[in-house]
Amino acid sequence: MAYRHTIDATAYIFEDLRDLLAKATPPRSGDRLAGIAADSAEQMVAARMALADLPLQRFLSEAVIPYETDEVTRLILDSHDAAGFAPIASLTVGGFRDWLLSDAATTETLRSVSRAITPEMAAAVSKLMRNQDLILVARKCEVRSAFRNTIGLRGRMSVRLQPNHPFDDARGITASILDGLLLGSGDACIGINPASDDPAVIGRLLRLLDDIIARLQIPTQGCVLTHVTTTLGLIAQGAPVDLVFQSVAGTEAANRSFGVDLALLGQARDAGLSLGRGTVGNNVMYFETGQGSALSANAHHGVDQQTCEARAYAVARAFDPLLVNSVVGFIGPEYLYDGKEIIRAGLEDHFCGKLLGLPIGIDVCYTNHAEADQDDMDNLLTLLAAAGVTFIMGVPGADDVMLNYQSTSFHDALYLRDLFGLKRAPEFDDWLVRAGLAGADFRLAGPAGQLPDFASRLIA
């Protein structure tokens, strides 16, 4: 179905919903690369005005990727919460924006409609929003998950401790873990991106994490970010797996390029649950996503990259994850060219993820060939904290020496916690006090240069 809007006697025609969403998207290099972006600011405004008048019901009858050919579309439509949709079913996209910004959209109300909102609805309304709108609505959403601690509580922000090493060296990884723990990071998880895909190496890293967490009795979870099939094989061999990781995307074809489908992800979740390693919850999945992943695999079907990203959240939502992480600037400037595009995309991803009911964090990051710098990342980091981000990354010095990109550091988390008065996951905060790393007020304690007894044993 074609859509039309006229501005000053100029008629703008959009051939279908997919084209309308693409033309309404704020400028970004990925959509320009795909040849689907608006040709002018006027065309973009016309698309947004047409989109604002579109009934939300239309997203249930017109799919951006055909139902018959894409299992992600089938997942979205088959799992739609029709009863939950009733309170917002009469709204247009513009009316939905107004409702989200109103006092009627409370934390409890947003939770009740989260499964009734399709990814395309979330993406559409985000295209009508200013950055401040994205921040305000996301902050009203509260999404909790749990494994050995509780993630996503209001007034708290977690950190994934990312101790990557270019040679998967155990001592180097352990030193980075110690660095993070001493600075109060690691409550989201301690997650290693391995340099090797050798199952023997992955198994060794899993045992290293398990040993550190068990010996120090840390209420957190470990994860080695390897392909889900490798993790399944290691589970069968008795490896100590806490979280099952996989990168996912918003189309069946893009997920196939990652070597996964929905059935395999379901098998992986079942395997993780069978281990029974959680203590306060059973959310065992960790997913990573990123705008541009479907386009980079030539699997976007002409859908704009932000809508594709929102569709990836439907995949993640189906498996009740502990963590979902948008690595927003990691894919490169071909998809998000500069700091402005990265900031906008990070706020969009966080908003859409929260609106869809996901415990979403953002890897506030950029590659060294992007037109961005650490000041841009400071801006996004601060805006996300204001928006109630679930977790961020903690990388030693913010410079990942294995993946060769710029992220956020343990000290960045300290900055946010001081500025906004944020605590960590409650179980992790209590452990910091017991370990002598924090005082009764949960602020980090201890004179510089002194290590607690456990730290000395860890690096011995």
Side-chain angles (χ1 to χ4, degrees), residues 147-149 151 158-165 170 172-182 184-194 202 205-226 240-245 277 286 288 322-323 391-396 410 428 431-432 437 454 458:
F147 188 75
R148 292 200 187 99
N149 57 35
I151 307 292
S158 297
V159 177
R160 171 191 157 192
L161 200 169
Q162 185 168 302
N164 298 343
H165 191 280
I173 289 170
T174 302
S176 292
I177 292 173
L178 176 59
D179 186 20
L181 292 175
L182 292 175
S185 290
D187 53 335
C189 73
I190 304 174
I192 304 170
N193 295 90
I202 307 302
L205 294 176
L206 285 167
R207 290 188 290 275
L208 172 67
L209 290 178
D210 182 59
D211 177 65
I212 291 172
I213 291 171
R215 275 201 291 148
L216 304 185
Q217 299 181 312
I218 311 171
T220 192
Q221 35 282 330
C223 185
V224 179
L225 282 67
T226 189
V241 173
D242 290 341
L243 303 183
V244 179
F245 168 81
R277 293 173 60 85
Y286 176 13
E288 285 195 349
L322 179 75
L323 306 167
F391 68 98
I392 62 169
M393 299 296 107
V395 178
F410 308 133
F428 192 85
W431 174 80
L432 287 173
L437 296 180
F454 82 75
L458 186 62

Side-chain angles (χ1 to χ4, degrees), residues 24 152 237 306 312 343 368 460:
Q237 296 173 24
Q306 191 252 334
I343 289 169
N368 288 311

